[in-house]
């Protein structure tokens, strides 16, 4: 069965770009909100039937060309023994590593604590009639560690964790290695269970200077990328906010780079290794505007598709709660119907 998302990942030229959205499963779908009335987030993630159902909601409700596994980047610290709760204020860890004497010693990776996720993947891929490719994912070490060290993800304030990165550089590096080891095992299991592509989310990559990122975190990213790509699975990297650092992103690191909304795709195309495909990069907040405004933005992408076939339409960051679902559907319909 051919699929436009897979064809584009394989470097084939298609009539239109494939389209999917970061955070398409949670946040904006009324069908998801309805399930959230009945179940907690952990229940939705841990029950393979429910996780499969949520993963596939955007296929039916929006018509996107790829599904993304319904899970969270913080399942890795959870599987390292850090009690995790999702509260109304965001994710919370029982014992933030900033308060712990020997952070590395307290971590206790147990790969079996991720098994429920593989059962969800099996369920998704066994769903009758479903042929949409599944994107697996994990958080990159920097972003995951900000949450682990800070303990609280509220309002993206990671001041203590950022201080830790600079004060404890050596320990930061060692911790990144520990997170990387489990992440690789996790990625390989997702692949074994049948995902079609793997995306590494580094939402907070821009919180340190790019030189620091290159030195301390890029070796880990590269290890994860190598392990994933050795299986023949396409690897998409989303290092949000790295600015001109994108000129250092080459085909050694990833197959596709997911570009944030700061950098136009045209600029990204000039700066990034030509062998790397691009994904992105509509600012999700544009979807709060009226459909005429959204349409004008979308027309700007047409010349880009004409110059670049290795491009997947997506957002510059995940969908934001409160975006009208009709506007999200409007984008999918535009991408599928306009004359590119
Ligand atoms: O489309 C999807 O939603 C797919 C699954 C997915 C979730 N989180 C589900 C989720 C993915 C790919 C993520 C990634 C994730 N999680 C990131 C990186 C991408 C990004 O959005 O920046 C980060 C930083 C997290 C950490 C996290 N998880 C935060 C900060 C929060 C609270 C705020 C929020 O809603 O994002 C979560 C909880 C979370 N993860 C929810 C969902 C659907 C909300 C839980 C709920 O509905 O109560």
């Amino acid at each position: 069965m051919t699929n436009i998302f897979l064809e584009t990942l394989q470097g084939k030229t298609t009539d239109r770009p494939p389209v999917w959205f970061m955070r398409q499963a949670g946040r904006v779908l009324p069908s998801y909100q309805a399930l959230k009335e009945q179940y907690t987030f952990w229940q939705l993630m841990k029950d393979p039937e429910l996780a499969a159902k949520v993963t596939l909601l955007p296929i039916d409700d929006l018509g996107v060309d790829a599904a993304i596994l319904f899970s969270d980047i913080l399942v890795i610290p959870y599987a390292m023994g850090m009690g995790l709760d999702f509260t109304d204020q965001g994710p919370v860890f029982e014992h933030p590593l900033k308060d712990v004497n020997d952070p590395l010693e307290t971590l206790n990776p147990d790969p079996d604590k991720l098994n429920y996720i593989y059962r969800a993947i099996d369920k998704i891929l066994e769903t009758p009639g479903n042929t949409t490719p599944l994107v697996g994912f994990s958080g990159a070490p920097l972003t995951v560690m900000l949450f682990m060290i800070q303990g609280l993800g509220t309002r993206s304030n990671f001041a203590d964790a950022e201080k830790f990165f600079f004060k404890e550089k050596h320990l930061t590096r060692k911790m990144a290695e520990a997170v990387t080891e489990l992440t690789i095992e996790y990625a390989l299991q997702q692949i074994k269970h049948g995902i079609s592509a793997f995306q590494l989310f580094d939402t907070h990559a821009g919180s340190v200077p790019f030189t620091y990122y290159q030195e301390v975190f890029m070796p880990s990213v590269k290890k994860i990328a190598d392990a994933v790509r050795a299986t023949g699975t396409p690897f998409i990297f989303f290092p949000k906010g790295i600015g001109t650092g994108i000129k250092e992103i080459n085909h050694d690191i990833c197959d596709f780079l997911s570009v944030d909304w700061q950098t136009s795709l045209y600029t990204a195309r000039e700066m990034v290794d030509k062998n790397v495909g691009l994904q992105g990069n509509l600012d999700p907040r544009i979807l709060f505007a009226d459909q005429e405004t959204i349409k004008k933005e979308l027309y700007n992408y047409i010349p880009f598709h004409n110059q670049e076939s290795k491009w997947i339409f997506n957002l510059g960051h995940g969908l934001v709660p409160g975006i009208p679902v009709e506007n999200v559907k409007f984008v999918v319909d535009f991408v599928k119907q306009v004359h590119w």
Side-chain angles (χ1 to χ4, degrees), residues 1 97 117 132 204 234 241 301:
M1 186 87 180
L97 296 184
I117 300 170
T132 309
H204 298 287
Y301 285 99

Side-chain angles (χ1 to χ4, degrees), residues 58-99:
I59 310 298
D60 294 335
D61 296 1
L62 301 171
V64 286
D65 297 309
I68 178 159
L69 178 64
F70 185 72
S71 182
D72 195 80
I73 62 166
L74 301 180
V75 298
I76 289 287
Y78 167 74
M80 295 178 104
M82 295 189 69
L84 169 64
D85 194 12
F86 289 95
T87 69
D88 290 344
Q89 276 77 48
V92 183
F93 288 109
E94 249 166 54
H95 302 293
L97 296 184
K98 68 176 164 58
D99 301 334

Side-chain angles (χ1 to χ4, degrees), residues 134-155:
L134 179 64
V135 180
F137 72 92
S138 188
L142 176 146
T143 294
V144 172
M145 283 166 60
L146 283 177
F147 284 95
M148 290 168 75
I149 297 166
Q150 192 72 32
L152 243 173
T154 321
R155 289 177 282 280

Side-chain angles (χ1 to χ4, degrees), residues 2 14 41-42 45 66 71-72 102 122 158 216 218 226 241 251 255 270-271 277 293 320 328 337 339:
T2 59
T14 53
F41 181 53
W42 260 126
M45 273 206 293
S71 182
D72 195 80
D102 192 344
D122 294 343
F158 297 107
V216 176
M218 199 60 104
D226 287 350
H251 198 254
D255 298 296
E270 279 169 23
M271 294 175 84
T293 308
V320 178
V328 185
Q337 287 159 17
H339 183 71

Side-chain angles (χ1 to χ4, degrees), residues 253-298:
I253 299 167
C254 59
D255 298 296
F256 272 65
L257 177 73
S258 203
V259 180
D260 61 42
W261 38 257
Q262 283 294 355
T263 309
S264 91
L265 287 180
Y266 295 96
T267 306
R269 189 64 291 169
E270 279 169 23
M271 294 175 84
V272 179
D273 177 353
K274 297 287 174 284
N275 297 311
V276 174
L278 300 179
Q279 176 175 272
N281 74 341
L282 187 74
D283 187 326
R285 293 162 299 189
I286 285 169
L287 302 180
F288 285 111
D290 58 90
Q291 294 188 352
E292 270 313 300
T293 308
I294 296 171
K295 200 195 247 172
K296 270 195 207 128
E297 280 295 326
L298 293 173

